[in-house]
Amino acid sequence: MAGSIFSPLGSCSELEKANCHPLVCLLCHEPYQHPCLLDCYHNFCASCLRGRASDGRLRCPLCGHPSVVRGGTGLPPVDRLLQFLVDSSADSEEDVQCANCDRRCAKAELDTMYFCNTCGQPLCTPCREETHHARMFARHEIVSLSKRTKDIHKKCPLHEEPYIMFSTEKKSMLCINCFRDMQGESRAHCIDIETAYMQGCQRLDQAVMAVKELQTSTREAIVLLKAMIEEVRNSASEEEAAINSLFGRMQEQLSERKKTLLKAVQSQHEEKEKAFKEQLAHLASLLPTLQVHLVTCSAFLSSANKAEFLDLGYQLMERLQRIVKLPHRLRPAQTSKINSEYRAEFARCLEPLLMLSPRRSVVGSAGGIGPGIAGTNMLPGGQCSKTLMVPSCPPSSDKMSTSPMVRKPTMHRYISTKVLLAEGHETPFAEHCRNYENTYRMLQMEIQGLKDQVQELHRDLTKHHSLIKSEIMSEILQKSLQMDVQIAAHYSAVEMMRSVFEEVWEETYQRVANEQEIYEAQLHDLLQLRQENSCLSTITKQIVPYVRSIAKVKERLEPRLQEPREPKEEQAQMLLKICDNSEA
């Protein structure tokens, strides 16, 4: 038993399968010996808990809940209730002998035995019927053997008098002397033993019912948790399978797109290389011609006289001018950069699999709620933008009707645009935002005017029940159709600017990424230099004592060299000062 005291307990499922006896310790697996009750209401033998306390706390071996222990023993208090059950169980396992006929009753026949609490002796069934039915035993209290009253529970240990009362205030039994010694106020809380027993049984039944309800709830919770654990396991398996499947499909799509992009890169490489080689061949053939004519000019100038120069010089000058005016391709016709837009291609490749929305989106059209009623466009994040919905106005283009919703509300976009324009940077996008705001404000004012007219007509129709001319509604519908055409045209104009801005944004992103990389590298280099300097200081501190000791030894052995060595000591002191300054 001692070897298994500090062995860890198994899980709750293992304890449940073991079907532990309520009077058997869970650590030593033997009947309780001086059972102790922890704050978590788990019981263990005193010997099993001895030595486990630390700093006045004892952690439960079963659930890990800490319990406060007091006293020098380092053990929690003894559980008197469990000790009573253990003692009762031990008594019931012994053979009982009838006090009248000396008949021994085996353990299986204990239910047929009785006990006289007045005589304090056990009786078998025949002796109870024959002897204790006489008139002289009429006042004797005869109960079943299992309900016998022990001596310790019969008399008061202080006055050696039988218990007759029970104090509901102190929860203790009283003898006649204890009752007399009590104050008058406390006597009001005293009742007889029978009444106290009946009330106690009722309260115990209520407590048992509450514990049974808790037990039922606990079992239901256990079943639920086990089911949830199984669901978690199944969900994890399904999630893993989905991840593997999606990853496989992503790999296939990326592999196919990779092959396509590599082919495109190879094609661009071949085309650019061919064009550059053709231009190079042309320039290579042009260079000898230029050299020949330069040599010709130099020779002509050195050998021709004035008459020969005037006769042939203008012809040479015309030839040189014609050579210069020929269409020579001196500059590269295209850039050397190969751009496959692989990031955008990979993103487009993964969009169907990941159900990603485009990075830049516009407001989509929503269905109308009713004539003249303001509908609601739900935006991501729970925001909504109220706009007037006219059901008879079809969308101007499929592109606008199928595009996803905007990610930010209009007010946030308006403020961000104001901040951008206030910075004063004259960029193409800033100019575009300025033009957009002017056009958008004009369109918004037109839409607001139509909305006010429809709301006023709706109010007259529902509240005042007044007639509305059909010409007014036709005029409003016609204006709405015109506004729809203008909005579609403006949308198309803004959409056409996407490719221009995407090139600028891509360059900006690359520049920012390079700057971030350079910045991080700078910090890393500074930290590395600091670490090297720290190591140098540490090594210097370690060797300084050795330098001093060696210098002193040499001074003693070679007195003549004392004067030349003074500068070295000054150098050592300077080195120490430098080390101290570096540490500071």
Side-chain angles (χ1 to χ4, degrees), residues 38 110 298:
L38 301 178
L110 291 179
S298 178

Side-chain angles (χ1 to χ4, degrees), residues 472-492:
I472 299 177
M473 295 302 300
S474 301
E475 183 180 355
I476 293 175
L477 290 177
Q478 186 65 26
K479 288 183 180 179
S480 177
L481 290 174
Q482 293 176 0
M483 290 302 303
D484 190 58
V485 173
Q486 294 180 15
I487 294 173
H490 186 53
Y491 174 83
S492 300

